[in-house]
Amino acid sequence: PDHAESRRFAVVGSGPAGMYAALALTKTFDGSVVDVFDRYPTPFGLVRFGVAPDHAETKLVTNKFHETLTTRDDIRFYGNVQLGRDVSVGELYDGYHGVILAYGSSGDRTLDVPGEAELEGVMSAREFVAWFNGDPEHGPESATHNAVVRALTSTPKPHVAVIGVGNVAIDCARILLRDKSELAKTDICEHALDVLRRHPVEKVSVIGRRGVAQASFSPKELREVLGLPDVRVVIDDEEFGLAPEDEADLAASRPRRRAYDVLLKAHQSLKTNASKVLNFRFKTSPLEFGGDSNGNLRSMKLGRNELVGAAGARKAISSGETETVDTAMALRSVGYRAEPIVVSVNDESTSQIVLPFDERERVVPNEYGAVLTSPDKSTAKQIPGLYVTGWLKRGPTGIIGTNLTCAEETVAKMASDFARLPPPEPTSSGVDAALAKRAVRVITARDWAKLDAHERALGESRGKPRVKLTSIAEMLTIV
């Protein structure tokens, strides 16, 4: 370990990427202190707002993170502090020996088809998941909430389409179709459960532009949704007809082969008396969303695709065949996408650093996590002391654990940089004074422990692990 005593580090983002970075920093730099910033009063990012409520075991990683924040003196939490709004990158840069940005992807990739942007009822799976998971931006007063309610009340039997064939798509389908008394035992938000109870969805379609052999569901997630009681799985026979290239795609990936087998088994075992339907449609792309005169989604025009190209690089091209399907709500699940920081704060830093952003790759340009001045590696220089990890570094891929190796790589790069060229002493003593001057109400780990206990106590009275608070104003009154 590096024995440069009392080095101070800032980590922005307290999801797995940021928490693993904080742990790696204290392990690598003896005697160092790490301040972990998050825009919300609650830590843990997408483990709190992204992992489905009925996947409690996936959230167990937060036990370690919670203990880290609430019992250690060398890792401190700065909640309710947003980069760009309350503090600038330059101010952090001036106040610490090193800064690691780990705030992930706050936006979505789009389909770019007519009707998508303007019709209410077309939204991203990320927003829908954030809505039932208690993200304050998507709470009961939000546009997302109103859009879901309007979509599900627009017709007696709303059909919901989920566009995309990854695990987030499966999460959305499962939450819509799962028995609501089962969901009531999870930490799903009350406002969401109430809507889903009152306006039950009986038909969900999962739509993928390529074939069943190219889908990226994990077999475990598939088995779970296919095993829901009272849900009939509908897949056309022709979806299982494979070209030699598709056979090769399945042979190249064991999880993919297992997912294919799981789907085939579900297709063959017909549940006859189920009241709900889950329809998988492969080789299909939404071409256009149709709405009514009030701007609400009513239908979706689908195009049938053919697959061309070699194994491992199959492409979907239009066959020219189309059909229109009544649809009340469409959730696009075609990937997250990082966004550049919006800066509204008056930057009082000496360094005046502007964070570079690679618009094409949607990441902060970097080498092994060290931030570069531009995406062009041939001319770019490293910005000393500034690093990145997680989805902001590598794009929105991988599982929670992927962020552990990613953070360790970034911190190892930082350690080798510092061994070669020790960082200068910070020109300011952190950002406490700037935050106080701006009247930012910083939420500490002790405050979070209070919020956590409050949520758990509310949950206990209702037979749930916790009842998540969705209003930041309410959170601030409790602490």
Side-chain angles (χ1 to χ4, degrees):
D2 182 302
H3 289 284
E5 291 305 312
S6 64
R7 280 205 173 137
R8 298 201 313 273
F9 297 103
V11 171
V12 183
S14 68
M19 292 306 298
Y20 284 134
L23 288 162
L25 284 167
T26 53
K27 201 168 75 184
T28 305
F29 297 98
D30 252 15
S32 62
V33 172
V34 182
D35 292 345
V36 180
F37 294 81
D38 200 287
R39 69 184 174 127
Y40 284 149
T42 56
F44 315 137
L46 278 184
V47 185
R48 181 175 167 102
F49 299 129
V51 175
D54 54 350
H55 281 180
E57 71 286 357
T58 310
K59 302 185 193 200
L60 292 175
V61 64
T62 59
N63 292 347
K64 179 185 181 181
F65 296 158
H66 181 83
E67 187 192 358
T68 300
L69 288 182
T70 54
T71 61
R72 292 178 57 159
D73 298 331
D74 56 346
I75 297 180
R76 305 184 298 191
F77 184 54
Y78 279 68
N80 198 38
V81 179
Q82 187 169 336
L83 187 63
R85 181 193 67 191
D86 302 314
V87 69
S88 71
V89 177
E91 287 161 351
L92 290 175
Y93 191 81
D94 293 352
Y96 294 89
H97 292 93
V99 177
I100 299 183
L101 304 173
Y103 52 80
S105 308
S106 59
D108 312 277
R109 289 172 58 188
T110 53
L111 302 164
D112 298 329
V113 300
E116 177 186 16
E118 48 279 17
L119 290 175
E120 185 159 82
V122 185
M123 65 182 83
S124 73
R126 179 188 63 81
E127 292 166 315
F128 183 65
V129 171
W131 168 73
F132 63 65
N133 263 340
D135 183 322
E137 267 179 35
H138 302 279
E141 311 293 315
S142 68
T144 308
H145 180 79
N146 294 337
V148 174
V149 172
R150 265 205 284 276
L152 298 187
T153 51
S154 63
T155 163
K157 291 204 177 236
H159 163 232
V160 178
V162 186
I163 298 136
V165 287
N167 288 337
V168 177
I170 290 288
D171 281 340
C172 292
R174 194 182 64 251
I175 295 298
L176 285 163
L177 293 169
R178 178 157 242 163
D179 182 87
K180 299 309 170 266
S181 56
E182 288 295 308
L183 281 181
K185 300 172 197 162
T186 71
D187 64 3
I188 190 169
C189 286
E190 299 288 312
H191 64 263
L193 184 62
D194 186 47
V195 171
L196 296 175
R197 260 206 176 115
R198 262 194 279 179
H199 314 291
V201 172
E202 290 174 2
K203 182 170 186 204
V204 175
S205 303
V206 174
I207 297 168
R209 69 193 157 98
R210 294 193 297 170
V212 61
Q214 289 81 32
S216 49
F217 319 118
S218 69
K220 181 171 171 276
E221 293 258 344
L222 260 184
R223 268 197 291 273
E224 189 183 4
V225 73
L226 297 176
L228 289 177
D230 205 26
V231 176
R232 185 160 62 92
V233 177
V234 176
I235 312 173
D236 274 353
D237 287 339
E238 64 186 72
E239 301 287 15
F240 294 100
L242 298 176
E245 294 87 348
D246 300 320
E247 290 282 7
D249 274 357
L250 288 181
S253 159
R254 224 180 120 228
R256 222 159 250 189
R257 158 61 69 189
R258 284 188 11 234
Y260 175 84
D261 293 341
V262 170
L263 282 168
L264 186 58
K265 195 172 155 196
H267 171 61
Q268 289 161 345
S269 64
L270 283 175
K271 282 187 204 160
T272 43
N273 54 353
S275 70
K276 296 182 261 192
V277 172
L278 173 58
N279 180 15
F280 283 90
R281 303 184 58 138
F282 296 99
K283 292 188 281 207
T284 301
S285 293
L287 302 177
E288 187 173 344
F289 294 104
D292 60 17
S293 54
N294 297 325
N296 298 311
L297 175 67
R298 284 287 176 261
S299 66
M300 184 173 56
K301 184 178 173 189
L302 297 173
R304 196 78 183 129
N305 298 327
E306 289 163 0
L307 294 184
V308 296
R314 300 287 270 158
K315 277 199 168 58
I317 59 163
S318 168
S319 71
E321 201 184 310
T322 66
E323 68 172 299
T324 300
V325 184
D326 286 350
T327 307
M329 184 161 80
L331 306 173
R332 63 163 181 269
S333 184
V334 292
Y336 286 66
R337 132 188 179 135
E339 299 294 342
I341 297 171
V342 177
V343 181
S344 57
V345 69
N346 175 27
D347 184 359
E348 296 180 4
S349 68
T350 313
S351 55
Q352 290 287 312
I353 281 188
V354 176
L355 186 67
F357 191 73
D358 183 337
E359 291 286 351
R360 211 174 63 96
E361 296 295 327
R362 309 300 298 184
V363 292
V364 168
N366 71 90
E367 201 161 28
Y368 306 113
V371 175
L372 301 175
T373 48
S374 85
D376 180 0
K377 295 235 164 112
S378 59
T379 58
K381 293 187 174 47
Q382 198 176 316
I383 301 175
L386 190 59
Y387 297 83
V388 63
T389 191
W391 282 2
L392 197 59
K393 165 184 169 185
R394 64 178 197 275
T397 58
I399 56 174
I400 290 174
T402 314
N403 294 296
L404 173 59
T405 41
C406 188
E408 285 175 343
E409 178 189 68
T410 293
V411 173
K413 170 73 173 135
M414 185 191 260
S416 83
D417 289 345
F418 283 11
R420 217 176 39 247
L421 187 69
E425 279 307 298
T427 56
S428 77
S429 56
V431 292
D432 291 3
L435 294 173
K437 189 172 116 182
R438 291 168 188 151
V440 177
R441 171 68 169 94
V442 177
I443 296 295
T444 63
R446 188 172 291 162
D447 294 333
W448 157 242
K450 252 190 238 174
L451 286 175
D452 179 59
H454 181 82
E455 290 189 340
R456 286 177 189 275
L458 288 176
E460 206 167 323
S461 62
R462 299 182 199 182
K464 302 163 65 101
R466 67 171 69 236
V467 171
K468 290 182 187 168
L469 300 171
T470 56
S471 151
I472 290 178
E474 188 186 349
M475 291 179 197
L476 298 183
T477 61
I478 288 161
V479 300

